[in-house]
Amino acid sequence: MSTGSPERRTGPSKVTPSEDTQQDDTKDLEKSRREKKPFFYCRIVAKYPVKSFVITLLCHVAMLVISGILVASGFNLFPTNFEVLPMELYDIPYRLRDYAWRDKDNYNNKFKRTLTNDGLATYERGLYSSFSSVDLYYDTDGGNIFTKANLQRIQRIENDLNSSSSFSSICMTQSSSMSCKPIKSVLRYFDGTYKHINATFDDRYFNNIPAVLFEAFNNSETKEDFMFFLPNGYSLSDSNAHGSLTRSVMLVGCSINSTSKCSSDSWKSLALSNLQDGIETKLKDSVDSSTDDFKFYFFSYNLWLADVLKQAILDMMCAVGSMLFIFCFMLFHTRSFWIAGWAMISILLSFLGTNIIYTGVIDFQYFGFFHILSIFIILGIGADDVFVFYDNWRLTAFATYPSLAHRLSDTYSKSVTSMLITSLTTSVAFFSSAISPLLATRSFGVFSGLLVIYNYLSVIIFFPTVVTMYHLKYEQWTCPCCRKCTKKDDESLSEKGKAGISNEVFIISDVEMTVHEPALDTKSNGGSRVNVTVNGDSLPYIKEKSVASVGHSNGRIANGNAGHTNGIVVNGKPSTNEIKTLNSEKKPKEDSLVVKALHKKKQKRMVVFFRDHYLWFITHKITRCVALPLFVVLVGYFAYSASTLEPDNEQLQIYKKSHFYSQALDKELYSFVKNVEDNMVSIYIVWGISLKDRSDCHFSSIACRGKQVYDSSFDPNPEANQMALKRFCDFFFDNMTSSDYSLYRIKTDASGTPDVACFTRSLETYLGSLSISGLPDLSLPWDSTKTLAFMNAQTKFYDTSGFSTYTDFLSIPMQYWMYDGYLGNYTADYGLYNDLFGEEKTTFSKELKLQTNLTNTPIYYGNKLKYLAVRVNTTINRRTTGYSTGLPIVERWENFIQSQMSGMPTGLKNGFQLTWRSWHWFYVLQSLADNAVTGIVIGVSLAFPILSLSTMNVVIGFLASLSICCTTVCVIGVIPLAGWKLGLLTSLNMCLVVGLAVDYVVHLAEAYTLSLHKDRYNRTRDMLEEMGPSVFSGACTTLGASIFMFAAQVQFFMQFGVFMFCTIGFSLIFSLGLFTMLVGLIGPQNNIGNLKVLFQKCRSKCQKKAKKT
């Protein structure tokens, strides 16, 4: 909207009659719009400002009260869970298979095979707890770790850790004793631990390092374990030993049963408590004392998880910094504590109101870290909406309105629609994530979409009352320390009034002026001049002709408010003739320009900058010639970078790469010859178990795994079925070649034998070693005759009465095998196979006759096999294999197992393959990548029709969509440049790009179409005047808020901050830069691209055709 300021044009300065007419038409349209009947809500707010404010404020406070009541009543209003990230896919079978296998023993009449305390060699804390054990890494960054000085330093660190009293309570014990095992370290080859193997392994003072290491490498008894300590690129000989790094392990123990059971949460908590009690401090002190030539890192999953949760809470404090920054910027922009304070309160209370709808109405039962991050998003969007509304309100101060309601309504019409479009497009982008099958992204999309809509409603309902109250009650309020100066000025003016000097108020070109006593100017041929105050600024000796008035009134009118000062009032602008008269006189014209210049000075500097200076710059020919190619190059560069984006082959990285935890994981995965066994994927082929039934689970529950279901048709006992299982097991050993092992990534030993735990071979080997009278052949298959004969030959254990119809033959030899002939010895087969099949007690089940010292619980025989599994260990590293590599392997295994099951006899046809998490995780990563792409495609595809319909102009819709596409391409291009890949965090962040990229260009597009001018230059000018400052200020708040996230240690928060910064930054560049330049160059003029006009033309053509027919 024009305010009477001088324009900078690229064309001639002479005003043609047609332009003069257009200006008059535009001014008439502006006046008509200002005098249009106010919107009903604006009339209510203007008539009852205090009541409107109180009522809308109480509605906000009600959200706080309702939240308190719900929490007090026991309703789970904040179902927070920061420990689990629910990335579950249930439309594919692998997660349900995984959960079914984990809960395989959840059935009635279960018989669990266990050994006695004395019989279990690894009882108490004799088992290795990978969850709590501490991995230690020593790195020389290209130097040699195997020097005397470095080994002595390692020795000091490990001796200090061993001396910790808290470690003795959780350490892994020696066999069945309670003595702690020493740290698994390369130092064990020097301290005499292995001197019984070779005397060389006794070099306590590190005087013969190459010889010790070379012997450990070549000795067949130590080589396999020794390889664990060697880095990639090592060099060993009897005279030289070189390696850049090595590692050790503090062994934390656990047991199969008792209070230190490996799977027990209480034991994990106890282990964590002991690790944090002194050990963690020593570890971090060693990290802090690292030097450039000797760096120390450590990793323990138990400590890591606790530190992540602690660090995440600390990083969330960045939100406090962001809030303070946004509040301070609002305060600076609005110059009002009242406006900035209520704006921030409104935004924050929107969070509570949205949560009530999210949990109480939609009934989501998950609230995680992603939802907390939405506060950063809404702070930026909310501040942007506030700036748009308030800046439009301030612009209306330079025009006259019949009433306050008219002014408020004009502000409403200019801002509400623009905010609606941005809110709709942003919420649609977030809601597009709601179609994701992953609960974390789906719930975040729903919550953020609702939050944007709720905040929009809050701004258009509550904020007008805040602004109105400020205008009526507090706009003239001044700080007490400034009131003395203000009082003196008022007294001076009142004295002049008492002296009979009449102050007259004029409005010329929408400028408010107070004209004081006339003065005689001898320098101007005796012309009469006056002293003028324009919007509070004094301007002496202006010719009276320059302030010629039209019409009279007995009241002082400013923005619709009538005062009681007598004076001459202009109710409009000078007529065309008066403008020509002023322009015909040089001096009055100069005075008029001075008045206008003062008017411009009183407007906000940022408004003047965008309306005049930036407009001149962005529409200049040189700027266009230089900037447009630069924009093309910029987009092309980032488009090429985006084309290099690759899937991430690593698992979720929580900390920054520079953090010692990340460094430790990186060393483990990529720096050593031998990978840690825990990282390798094991594949289970399972019979007897069906998929979990989640039909009774809540749609947003993260704790419900579903009901355990078993395959009632499973029966491995018929002879044909036993032989089918035997052939299946033999297939891995006898039919597969080395190329097959490589194709299916099956792990093999040095002799080429596959690492497959298939019970038939080991069972037959064990049975073949038995010597039972009258039973020379105990190999598979077993039938009723062989089973009864075996049991009758072992009458000290079995009572066969009633077993004539017993058909679960395999249960008898397999249980006998696990208990090592009921001797109760812990054997390698027990550790390997005991968890691969389960037994269920039946009507045939009886207690074993002789079971002294075998177990703490009675042993039952005569059971049936409930489930059965084969385990295949692979060379697939679950932490370095991405979905692009892993999914073909999954499909290969799925096809292989399905082909095998199709040839199985009845009772074995329903077997399937699974892994612990890995298969499912590959599909999760693929789903995230697909969702990111889908969200971007949906957002960009909907941008053009939404923008075209909202602005009612296809040209503007196209140019705005082009700006959004450029922003999206550049943000995606940042990912490879930052060294990131398409993984979990980047995929989630990409879902936000389009939603955040639309805001600023939509505000500008809407302002362009709302301009009453017909030519593109003045439309662009009006667009920058009305929305330029708001867009820039809104971008500054979000950019500033995102910078605080750069300090976060948790990778996701830091990446989120970078994504926010880049998205807002590029959006600002392409909206105020490219879009503004294009509309100034090729923007629609008159009715070009106007959908209403196009529709009318089509309608008239159709009517003409109808008349002809």
Side-chain angles (χ1 to χ4, degrees):
M1 183 186 72
S2 176
T3 59
S5 301
E7 299 176 2
R8 295 191 179 189
R9 289 182 174 272
T10 56
S13 59
K14 184 178 179 180
V15 180
T16 64
S18 61
E19 289 178 337
D20 195 14
T21 304
Q22 289 178 8
Q23 289 179 2
D24 288 340
D25 292 342
T26 302
K27 291 174 182 178
D28 291 339
L29 289 172
E30 289 176 350
K31 183 179 179 181
S32 175
R33 182 165 66 181
R34 292 196 299 268
E35 295 177 354
K36 183 180 178 181
K37 183 179 179 181
F39 183 56
F40 80 96
Y41 182 67
C42 298
R43 296 199 302 270
I44 294 173
V45 173
K47 188 174 182 180
Y48 308 104
V50 177
K51 292 180 180 179
S52 300
F53 173 75
V54 172
I55 291 172
T56 53
L57 177 60
L58 288 177
C59 291
H60 275 71
V61 175
M63 297 298 103
L64 183 62
V65 174
I66 292 172
S67 298
I69 294 173
L70 290 174
V71 171
S73 65
F75 181 77
N76 190 13
L77 186 62
F78 300 98
T80 54
N81 191 319
F82 300 137
E83 297 183 11
V84 178
L85 187 64
M87 309 296 287
E88 314 288 347
L89 279 176
Y90 295 117
D91 54 352
I92 57 171
Y94 297 107
R95 194 53 160 174
L96 297 175
R97 291 178 182 178
D98 179 11
Y99 281 154
W101 177 247
R102 297 188 194 193
D103 298 335
K104 58 185 180 295
D105 292 322
N106 291 349
Y107 55 90
N108 297 325
N109 297 318
K110 172 181 62 180
F111 172 68
K112 184 66 176 177
R113 297 176 301 276
T114 59
L115 298 178
T116 62
N117 297 346
D118 296 332
L120 182 60
T122 55
Y123 170 69
E124 192 53 44
R125 297 198 306 272
L127 294 183
Y128 172 63
S129 173
S130 59
F131 182 81
S132 299
S133 291
V134 185
D135 299 329
L136 314 173
Y137 298 89
Y138 312 98
D139 184 17
T140 60
D141 198 17
N144 186 13
I145 195 67
F146 299 126
T147 64
K148 184 173 183 178
N150 286 335
L151 291 179
Q152 287 176 338
R153 187 168 181 177
I154 293 173
Q155 188 177 52
R156 288 194 296 272
I157 292 174
E158 294 182 359
N159 287 343
D160 186 39
L161 293 172
N162 264 329
S163 64
S164 177
S165 59
S166 60
F167 186 63
S168 61
S169 302
I170 58 173
C171 65
M172 184 177 177
T173 56
Q174 298 273 14
S175 299
S176 58
S177 70
M178 292 299 294
S179 60
C180 291
K181 283 190 173 183
I183 293 177
K184 183 179 179 181
S185 169
V186 71
L187 300 181
R188 302 290 80 78
Y189 298 95
F190 293 88
D191 64 3
T193 300
Y194 299 109
K195 65 180 181 181
H196 63 281
I197 297 176
N198 192 300
T200 307
F201 299 132
D202 191 4
D203 183 20
R204 301 173 188 270
Y205 300 103
F206 310 110
N207 294 321
N208 197 13
I209 295 173
V212 173
L213 299 180
F214 188 66
E215 176 62 27
F217 178 75
N218 287 284
N219 194 301
S220 60
E221 296 185 56
T222 58
K223 181 175 182 177
E224 185 175 357
D225 291 335
F226 177 71
M227 293 297 293
F228 175 83
F229 306 103
L230 292 180
N232 294 327
Y234 69 91
S235 174
L236 292 177
S237 68
D238 56 356
S239 59
N240 177 65
H242 185 278
S244 60
L245 71 161
T246 189
R247 58 183 167 182
S248 303
V249 182
M250 290 185 68
L251 303 170
V252 173
C254 59
S255 68
I256 291 177
N257 52 16
S258 80
T259 57
S260 58
K261 189 175 181 180
C262 294
S263 59
S264 170
D265 290 336
S266 60
W267 172 247
K268 293 176 181 178
S269 298
L270 178 61
L272 175 62
S273 176
N274 281 272
L275 287 173
Q276 292 175 330
D277 184 17
I279 298 176
E280 184 179 22
T281 302
K282 292 182 177 181
L283 290 168
K284 291 185 176 179
D285 287 344
S286 297
V287 171
D288 294 337
S289 62
S290 295
T291 61
D292 291 338
D293 56 351
F294 187 96
K295 298 176 181 178
F296 174 77
Y297 315 110
F298 73 91
F299 184 85
S300 168
Y301 189 84
N302 206 343
L303 282 174
W304 173 85
L305 183 60
D307 284 351
V308 165
L309 296 176
K310 187 189 304 180
Q311 186 63 52
I313 300 300
L314 292 175
D315 286 350
M316 289 310 301
M317 294 297 102
C318 296
V320 178
S322 298
M323 291 180 199
L324 290 175
F325 172 81
I326 291 177
F327 175 75
C328 292
F329 195 93
M330 278 186 174
L331 185 61
F332 168 78
H333 186 84
T334 62
R335 303 293 198 276
S336 168
F337 276 101
W338 175 272
I339 298 293
W342 286 118
M344 284 295 295
I345 291 172
S346 173
I347 293 171
L348 296 178
L349 289 179
S350 296
F351 200 85
L352 282 180
T354 302
N355 187 57
I356 292 174
I357 299 173
Y358 173 78
T359 56
V361 179
I362 306 179
D363 196 26
F364 269 95
Q365 296 179 1
Y366 170 70
F367 194 96
F369 277 123
F370 295 162
H371 301 73
I372 298 294
L373 288 176
S374 60
I375 195 170
F376 290 93
I377 299 172
I378 203 58
L379 281 172
I381 295 175
D384 179 52
D385 289 345
V386 167
F387 291 150
V388 168
F389 189 92
Y390 192 64
D391 285 348
N392 274 284
W393 167 262
R394 290 203 292 198
L395 279 174
T396 59
F398 297 96
T400 56
Y401 294 87
S403 68
L404 178 61
H406 284 79
R407 180 184 177 187
L408 188 62
S409 184
D410 193 29
T411 304
Y412 228 68
S413 64
K414 293 177 181 178
S415 58
V416 170
T417 304
S418 177
M419 291 188 294
L420 174 63
I421 299 166
T422 58
S423 298
L424 282 179
T425 51
T426 304
S427 60
V428 166
F430 284 128
F431 284 139
S432 66
S433 300
I435 64 176
S436 171
L438 302 171
L439 178 61
T441 54
R442 182 171 73 252
S443 60
F444 171 72
V446 171
F447 185 84
S448 299
L450 290 172
L451 186 57
V452 171
I453 295 174
Y454 193 100
N455 177 75
Y456 167 74
L457 295 175
S458 173
V459 171
I460 67 171
I461 295 174
F462 177 62
F463 198 64
T465 68
V466 173
V467 172
T468 305
M469 283 288 293
Y470 173 72
H471 173 68
L472 296 175
K473 302 290 185 181
Y474 305 108
E475 195 168 24
Q476 302 303 322
W477 182 88
T478 56
C479 181
C481 61
C482 302
R483 290 175 183 172
K484 187 175 181 180
C485 299
T486 306
K487 184 177 180 181
K488 288 182 178 179
D489 293 338
D490 293 340
E491 289 175 352
S492 175
L493 290 174
S494 64
E495 288 176 0
K496 290 184 179 182
K498 291 178 181 178
I501 302 172
S502 176
N503 294 333
E504 297 175 332
V505 178
F506 296 85
I507 298 179
I508 293 182
S509 300
D510 298 335
V511 181
E512 183 180 309
M513 300 191 303
T514 302
V515 182
H516 304 291
E517 69 277 10
L520 183 64
D521 183 15
T522 58
K523 296 181 181 180
S524 299
N525 301 322
S528 179
R529 291 182 175 270
V530 293
N531 297 324
V532 181
T533 300
V534 183
N535 291 335
D537 287 334
S538 177
L539 183 65
Y541 304 115
I542 297 295
K543 262 195 173 184
E544 280 187 301
K545 283 187 179 181
S546 301
V547 291
S549 61
V550 180
H552 300 271
S553 176
N554 290 324
R556 182 181 187 276
I557 297 179
N559 302 324
N561 296 324
H564 301 285
T565 303
N566 293 328
I568 300 173
V569 178
V570 178
N571 294 321
K573 305 170 187 175
S575 65
T576 304
N577 293 331
E578 288 170 321
I579 293 174
K580 290 180 179 179
T581 301
L582 290 175
N583 289 338
S584 65
E585 300 180 19
K586 184 177 179 181
K587 186 62 180 177
K589 180 181 177 182
E590 291 175 358
D591 293 335
S592 179
L593 292 177
V594 172
V595 173
K596 291 181 179 180
L598 279 172
H599 175 210
K600 182 173 71 172
K601 180 181 177 182
K602 289 304 292 181
Q603 283 187 314
K604 193 179 178 186
R605 292 179 180 177
M606 195 180 297
V607 175
V608 176
F609 168 77
F610 279 104
R611 183 192 61 205
D612 296 337
H613 306 294
Y614 185 72
L615 173 69
W616 174 83
F617 170 77
I618 203 69
T619 57
H620 199 282
K621 291 181 180 179
I622 296 178
T623 304
R624 292 169 179 171
C625 294
V626 174
L628 286 176
L630 287 178
F631 279 123
V632 173
V633 172
L634 179 70
V635 174
Y637 174 75
F638 281 100
Y640 171 76
S641 176
S643 68
T644 64
L645 184 61
E646 299 176 350
D648 197 349
N649 290 332
E650 296 184 8
Q651 295 293 313
L652 177 63
Q653 183 176 338
I654 299 297
Y655 283 101
K656 294 180 180 178
K657 288 187 176 181
S658 59
H659 196 276
F660 64 83
Y661 278 141
S662 299
Q663 289 288 328
L665 289 172
D666 185 73
K667 302 303 178 187
E668 177 192 326
L669 295 175
Y670 301 110
S671 299
F672 289 93
V673 174
K674 188 175 181 180
N675 282 306
V676 179
E677 297 297 325
D678 293 336
N679 294 333
M680 299 302 148
V681 174
S682 293
I683 300 173
Y684 294 86
I685 299 95
V686 180
W687 292 269
I689 297 176
S690 299
L691 298 182
K692 283 273 192 177
D693 179 10
R694 296 193 77 254
S695 58
D696 294 333
C697 291
H698 190 274
F699 74 93
S700 64
S701 172
I702 63 175
C704 180
R705 292 183 177 182
K707 186 188 301 181
Q708 188 72 8
V709 181
Y710 294 90
D711 180 13
S712 59
S713 67
F714 170 63
D715 187 3
N717 296 288
E719 292 186 28
N721 293 19
Q722 294 182 48
M723 296 308 297
L725 288 170
K726 188 176 185 301
R727 286 192 299 271
F728 178 78
C729 292
D730 290 342
F731 184 86
F732 290 99
F733 296 90
D734 301 334
N735 296 83
M736 280 190 163
T737 63
S738 58
S739 60
D740 292 327
Y741 296 146
S742 177
L743 182 66
Y744 289 95
R745 304 287 293 273
I746 299 175
K747 181 183 177 181
T748 59
D749 59 18
S751 64
T753 303
D755 190 356
V756 178
C758 199
F759 77 98
T760 58
R761 286 204 164 199
S762 297
L763 175 61
E764 287 196 317
T765 300
Y766 175 79
L767 294 175
S769 67
L770 299 178
S771 178
I772 300 177
S773 177
L775 295 173
D777 182 17
L778 293 176
S779 62
L780 298 178
W782 279 44
D783 55 13
S784 178
T785 303
K786 186 180 291 188
T787 302
L788 289 174
F790 178 82
M791 295 175 69
N792 287 326
Q794 304 277 346
T795 55
K796 62 180 178 179
F797 299 128
Y798 302 116
D799 176 10
T800 59
S801 58
F803 270 74
S804 58
T805 58
Y806 180 67
T807 57
D808 295 301
F809 317 123
L810 273 180
S811 175
I812 299 298
M814 292 182 72
Q815 185 186 94
Y816 190 86
W817 168 44
M818 284 294 94
Y819 283 113
D820 191 23
Y822 297 115
L823 295 176
N825 296 321
Y826 180 85
T827 63
D829 283 351
Y830 180 90
L832 191 61
Y833 294 101
N834 189 54
D835 289 332
L836 295 182
F837 67 96
E839 297 181 65
E840 179 184 22
K841 289 186 286 187
T842 67
T843 55
F844 292 95
S845 298
K846 295 181 180 181
E847 279 194 44
L848 196 71
K849 288 183 178 180
L850 182 64
Q851 48 183 335
T852 306
N853 295 329
L854 290 182
T855 180
N856 296 328
T857 57
I859 298 176
Y860 288 87
Y861 66 92
N863 308 319
K864 64 176 292 186
L865 294 180
K866 188 69 172 179
Y867 62 85
L868 185 65
V870 172
R871 182 175 61 234
V872 181
N873 292 328
T874 71
T875 59
I876 305 169
N877 192 317
R878 63 181 176 86
R879 289 167 59 181
T880 59
T881 304
Y883 75 88
S884 59
T885 303
L887 287 180
I889 301 175
V890 178
E891 294 172 359
R892 195 174 300 131
W893 269 99
E894 186 69 18
N895 293 333
F896 168 67
I897 296 302
Q898 286 184 0
S899 66
Q900 292 290 319
M901 294 303 126
S902 63
M904 289 286 183
T906 302
L908 296 176
K909 286 185 174 294
N910 295 330
F912 54 78
Q913 58 99 14
L914 62 91
T915 62
W916 185 80
R917 186 179 294 172
S918 298
W919 281 183
H920 168 259
W921 186 248
F922 293 151
Y923 282 95
V924 168
L925 293 177
Q926 184 191 43
S927 178
L928 285 170
D930 292 344
N931 289 339
V933 174
T934 302
I936 290 174
V937 171
I938 291 176
V940 172
S941 301
L942 292 178
F944 175 69
I946 290 176
L947 291 172
S948 297
L949 291 173
S950 60
T951 61
M952 296 304 292
N953 194 294
V954 291
V955 177
I956 289 296
F958 172 76
L959 295 179
S961 300
L962 177 63
S963 173
I964 294 171
C965 290
C966 291
T967 300
T968 303
V969 169
C970 289
V971 173
I972 297 175
V974 168
I975 300 174
L977 293 177
W980 303 329
K981 296 182 179 180
L982 186 57
L984 172 63
L985 303 183
T986 52
S987 299
L988 290 173
N989 283 317
M990 282 173 62
C991 297
L992 311 177
V993 173
V994 178
L996 297 174
V998 301
D999 282 3
Y1000 306 129
V1001 72
V1002 169
H1003 288 315
L1004 295 174
E1006 182 69 13
Y1008 185 93
T1009 56
L1010 285 177
S1011 173
L1012 298 177
H1013 288 92
K1014 300 298 182 181
D1015 63 294
R1016 64 174 63 99
Y1017 180 86
N1018 280 296
R1019 283 184 173 183
T1020 305
R1021 182 178 184 274
D1022 291 347
M1023 175 188 78
L1024 289 174
E1025 181 182 24
E1026 294 188 0
M1027 287 298 174
S1030 303
V1031 166
F1032 183 77
S1033 299
C1036 287
T1037 55
T1038 309
L1039 290 172
S1042 61
I1043 288 176
F1044 284 87
M1045 299 301 294
F1046 292 0
Q1049 289 297 315
V1050 175
Q1051 182 82 346
F1052 177 72
F1053 296 150
M1054 187 272 291
Q1055 279 194 9
F1056 177 79
V1058 172
F1059 263 85
M1060 285 278 289
F1061 187 89
C1062 292
T1063 303
I1064 299 304
F1066 282 119
S1067 180
L1068 184 66
I1069 290 171
F1070 287 110
S1071 58
L1072 282 178
L1074 180 63
F1075 177 77
T1076 303
M1077 187 176 294
L1078 289 177
V1079 295
L1081 180 64
I1082 60 173
Q1085 301 187 102
N1086 298 313
N1087 291 321
I1088 295 176
N1090 191 301
L1091 291 178
K1092 291 182 179 178
V1093 175
L1094 292 175
F1095 176 75
Q1096 290 173 356
K1097 288 182 178 179
C1098 293
R1099 183 179 180 182
S1100 62
K1101 287 183 179 180
C1102 293
Q1103 288 176 347
K1104 288 180 180 179
K1105 289 182 178 180
K1107 289 180 180 179
K1108 290 181 180 180
T1109 57

